[in-house]
Each structure stands twice: as structure tokens, then as C-alpha cells.
């Protein structure tokens, strides 16, 4: 599996198509309801900072052919980058524009949930028992209290 492979291109394509449609509908129907640009920018900034941190952690391990599970973002959940995009960056982007863009997080999560099994299967094939133990210990997207 390539580092930028997995489900990322599929989810990005689906989300991008919807975002373009939402921009069009917002403009065409003059809908900008429920836009909160300041909150959106704060969420995006926080999300990008966390994404960068998680990316640095996992990319080093990935380049060494290892499964990163101890310490940092990946010690609490299996897919922190998808969570950061789904709970901070994509919703933040939605709040910048409002209107039909507010449904973008739902489209994003539908894509992630629809394809995540493929990525996890590839990880299990690559890392075997190490992945299976990790997947039993760490939830997919939301840390346990």
C-alpha cells in the first residue's frame, strides 16, 4: 500500500465533487446560511497543526516499514488523520461557507466509513498479528474515555 494510497484518493474525490456542487448551489441559490468563518478558520488551523503532527509521526514509521502504534496520535486511535479531517478540517471548511457546504462532513464520513475496511484489510495483510492486536486495543476514530 502506498503512503498516499489507501482510501484517501477515493474519499477526496467524493468530497471534492460534493464541495464543487455545494459551491455551485450556494452561489446559484444565494445560500450562505449558517456560515461561521471565524470558528471555521480556528477549526482548520487547529486541525492542520494536529494533522502535521500525526503525519510526521506516521510517515517516519511508514518509511521504515513499521506500524506506528505507540505514543502520539496513534496510541489512542487507529486513524487519527481521518478523524482530524472529519472532525476539524472538513467541518471548519464547511463553516467558512455555510449553506449546502454544511453537508460536506457527512459526505466525507460516508466515504471514509464506506472504504475504511479496504485500508484496514491491507494493513492486516501487511502487518498481520501486530495489526490485529492494535485494532483490538485502539478504536478506529474516537478515543475511549
Amino acid at each position: 500500500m502506498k503512503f498516499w494510497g489507501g482510501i484517501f484518493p477515493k474519499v477526496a474525490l467524493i468530497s471534492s465533487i460534493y464541495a464543487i456542487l455545494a459551491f455551485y448551489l450556494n452561489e446559484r441559490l444565494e445560500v450562505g446560511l449558517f456560515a461561521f468563518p471565524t470558528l471555521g478558520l480556528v477549526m482548520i488551523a487547529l486541525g492542520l497543526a494536529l494533522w502535521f503532527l500525526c503525519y510526521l509521526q506516521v510517515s517516519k514509521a511508514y518509511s521504515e516499514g513499521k506500524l506506528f502504534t505507540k505514543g502520539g496520535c496513534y496510541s489512542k486511535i487507529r486513524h487519527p488523520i481521518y478523524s482530524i479531517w472529519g472532525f476539524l478540517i472538513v467541518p471548519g471548511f464547511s463553516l467558512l461557507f455555510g449553506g449546502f457546504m454544511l453537508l460536506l462532513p457527512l459526505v466525507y464520513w460516508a466515504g471514509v466509513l464506506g472504504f475504511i475496511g479496504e485500508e484496514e484489510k491491507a494493513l492486516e495483510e501487511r502487518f498481520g498479528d501486530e495489526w490485529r492486536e492494535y485494532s483490538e486495543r485502539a478504536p478506529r476514530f474516537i478515543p475511549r474515555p
Side-chain angles (χ1 to χ4, degrees):
M1 175 168 38
K2 295 181 227 161
F3 186 74
W4 288 106
I7 67 170
F8 173 76
K10 295 174 185 176
V11 174
L13 178 63
I14 291 167
S15 298
S16 297
I17 289 170
Y18 179 79
I20 291 168
L21 176 63
F23 273 126
Y24 173 77
L25 290 173
N26 280 359
E27 188 67 28
R28 183 87 171 150
L29 301 175
E30 298 180 16
V31 175
L33 300 172
F34 304 109
F36 299 95
T38 304
L39 178 59
L41 288 172
V42 168
M43 291 173 69
I44 291 169
L46 178 61
L48 289 174
L50 289 171
W51 170 83
F52 187 66
L53 175 69
C54 290
Y55 170 78
L56 290 176
Q57 292 172 349
V58 75
S59 63
K60 182 178 186 297
Y62 192 89
S63 67
E64 296 170 356
K66 298 177 181 174
L67 181 64
F68 185 72
T69 64
K70 307 246 187 302
C73 308
Y74 287 83
S75 67
K76 302 294 181 195
I77 56 176
R78 296 191 308 258
H79 304 288
I81 290 177
Y82 293 131
S83 293
I84 290 165
W85 277 90
F87 293 123
L88 290 171
I89 298 172
V90 173
F93 185 75
S94 303
L95 291 172
L96 281 176
F97 301 98
F100 288 100
M101 194 60 74
L102 294 172
L103 295 177
L104 182 60
L106 297 176
V107 173
Y108 169 84
W109 279 111
V112 169
L113 293 172
F115 295 118
I116 198 66
E118 294 175 22
E119 187 164 310
E120 290 189 338
K121 182 179 179 192
L123 288 164
E124 183 177 11
E125 288 172 5
R126 181 172 181 181
F127 296 108
D129 288 338
E130 185 180 10
W131 170 260
R132 284 186 284 279
E133 188 276 328
Y134 175 55
S135 65
E136 288 176 15
R137 178 174 43 86
R140 273 185 173 164
F141 304 112
I142 299 172
R144 292 184 186 110

